[in-house]
C-alpha cells in the first residue's frame, strides 16, 4: 500500500500484504486479507495509516466475499454464517473500531451468491450478484435493492455480470457490465432510465462520477466521459 503526495509526487510505502480495501467518509481504510491460509488479519487504518483494529472477521475468497462500499460513515463486509465458510452470507456493518453494528442476510435459502458489487445511497443498498450454479451454461445474474433492515425491494435479471456500480444522484445509479454495456437505472424502481453504451467492446471495468459527468475505464486502458 502506497500513498502519493500530490504536491511533490513523493511516494511512501505504508504496508505490504495481500488485501482489498474500502474507504469510509472520513478517509479511514478497511482491509480484508485475501489469503486463505496464514495468520494475516483484517484491519482498519486510521488517518495516519496506523492500525486501529486487527482481527480476522471470517473466511475470505474473492469470488464470494469481495464487496466495496465506499464513502459511508462505517464499513461493510460480507461474512459467511458460520464465519469460516462462504454460504449463508451476511452483509455486516462495522464501526471504525471493528464492532459489528448490524447484519443483513443476503444469500438465498437454497443457493449462494458470488461476484458481488454494491452501493449504498441514502437508506437503500443496490447489490449485484451471480447466482452460483455448477453448470457454467446456466448462470443467472441479478440486481436488487435492500433497505438497511434487510427488506428486499425490487429485483431484476441482467444478461451479464456487473463490473462496477456507482450512485449518480439520490434517484439514479449507473451499472457497467461484462458484456460491454453501461446503463442508468432508478434506485427506487430498478427501471432502466438510459442506455449509455450497448456495444460489446471495450469492456468497462470501473466507473467514477462527479459534477454531471460519468467516467468509464475500460480493459483497453481507454476512458470514456459521458455528460449526463
Amino acid at each position: 500500500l502506497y500513498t502519493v503526495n500530490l504536491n511533490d509526487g513523493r511516494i511512501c510505502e505504508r504496508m505490504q500484504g495481500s488485501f482489498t480495501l474500502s474507504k469510509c467518509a472520513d478517509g479511514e481504510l478497511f482491509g480484508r486479507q485475501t489469503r486463505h491460509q496464514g495468520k494475516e488479519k483484517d484491519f482498519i487504518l486510521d488517518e495516519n495509516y496506523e492500525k486501529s483494529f486487527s482481527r480476522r472477521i471470517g473466511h475470505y475468497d474473492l469470488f464470494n466475499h469481495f464487496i466495496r462500499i465506499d464513502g459511508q460513515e462505517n464499513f461493510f463486509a460480507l461474512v459467511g454464517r458460520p464465519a469460516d465458510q462462504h454460504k449463508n452470507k451476511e452483509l455486516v456493518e462495522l464501526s471504525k473500531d471493528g464492532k459489528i453494528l448490524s447484519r443483513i442476510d443476503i444469500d438465498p435459502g437454497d443457493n449462494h451468491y458470488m461476484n458481488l458489487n454494491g452501493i449504498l445511497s441514502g437508506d437503500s443498498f443496490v447489490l449485484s450478484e451471480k447466482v452460483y450454479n455448477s453448470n457454467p451454461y446456466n448462470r443467472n445474474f441479478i440486481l436488487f435493492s435492500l433497505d438497511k433492515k434487510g427488506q428486499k425491494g425490487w429485483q431484476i435479471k441482467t444478461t451479464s455480470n456487473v463490473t462496477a456500480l456507482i450512485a449518480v444522484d439520490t434517484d439514479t445509479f449507473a451499472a457497467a457490465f461484462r458484456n460491454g454495456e453501461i446503463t442508468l437505472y432508478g434506485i427506487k424502481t430498478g427501471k432502466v432510465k438510459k442506455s449509455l453504451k450497448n456495444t460489446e467492446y471495450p469492456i468497462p471495468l470501473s466507473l467514477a462520477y462527479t459534477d454531471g459527468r460519468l467516467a468509464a475505464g475500460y480493459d483497453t486502458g481507454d476512458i470514456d466521459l459521458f455528460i449526463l
Side-chain angles (χ1 to χ4, degrees):
L1 173 64
Y2 295 89
T3 56
V4 180
N5 187 309
L6 297 180
N7 294 318
D8 58 16
R10 183 168 54 91
I11 298 173
C12 179
E13 181 182 306
R14 298 296 181 174
M15 63 181 296
Q16 295 184 1
S18 178
F19 45 81
T20 61
L21 292 173
S22 58
K23 182 180 178 182
C24 74
D26 292 339
E28 292 159 302
L29 298 170
F30 173 52
R32 296 285 318 261
Q33 293 290 346
T34 62
R35 292 175 179 166
H36 291 266
Q37 299 176 348
K39 298 182 179 180
E40 295 88 352
K41 297 177 181 179
D42 305 321
F43 57 87
I44 293 174
L45 299 179
D46 63 20
E47 62 275 8
N48 297 314
Y49 301 96
E50 300 291 336
K51 290 184 180 180
S52 60
F53 167 84
S54 181
R55 177 172 62 85
R56 190 85 171 193
I57 66 171
H59 170 72
Y60 186 96
D61 67 75
L62 284 169
F63 294 109
N64 289 290
H65 298 91
F66 173 80
I67 197 163
R68 180 175 177 174
I69 299 178
D70 289 331
Q72 304 299 320
E73 180 181 357
N74 297 305
F75 300 108
F76 294 90
L78 292 171
V79 181
R81 193 176 64 247
D84 61 354
Q85 58 118 27
H86 63 277
K87 294 183 178 180
N88 303 311
K89 285 189 290 294
E90 298 174 317
L91 179 64
V92 301
E93 181 179 4
L94 294 97
S95 66
K96 295 170 189 174
D97 57 2
K99 293 179 181 177
I100 293 180
L101 303 175
S102 63
R103 298 175 179 266
I104 299 175
D105 291 323
I106 63 165
D107 267 347
D110 298 329
N111 219 318
H112 69 278
Y113 291 141
M114 303 172 61
N115 302 123
L116 296 101
N117 275 285
I119 57 171
L120 174 61
S121 179
D123 292 328
S124 296
F125 292 98
V126 175
L127 299 171
S128 68
E129 331 261 8
K130 180 174 77 173
V131 183
Y132 173 77
N133 192 306
S134 58
N135 182 350
Y137 299 102
N138 189 19
R139 293 173 175 169
N140 290 311
F141 306 100
I142 62 172
L143 273 168
F144 66 93
S145 67
L146 287 174
D147 65 21
K148 285 188 173 181
K149 295 181 180 179
Q151 184 68 36
K152 184 175 284 189
W154 52 265
Q155 177 174 309
I156 59 174
K157 286 187 176 183
T158 62
T159 58
S160 181
N161 202 31
V162 169
T163 57
L165 293 172
I166 194 167
V168 171
D169 54 44
T170 57
D171 295 320
T172 309
F173 72 94
F177 294 90
R178 181 67 178 78
N179 65 1
E181 296 179 1
I182 302 174
T183 307
L184 299 180
Y185 294 89
I187 288 177
K188 296 179 175 63
T189 65
K191 293 182 178 180
V192 173
K193 288 191 169 184
K194 187 177 183 181
S195 173
L196 299 178
K197 177 179 178 293
N198 58 11
T199 55
E200 186 174 0
Y201 296 107
I203 299 169
L205 299 179
S206 62
L207 296 172
Y209 175 81
T210 185
D211 194 26
R213 292 168 171 81
L214 179 73
Y218 298 106
D219 61 333
T220 56
D222 297 316
I223 296 174
D224 269 344
L225 189 64
F226 300 95
I227 299 175
L228 305 183

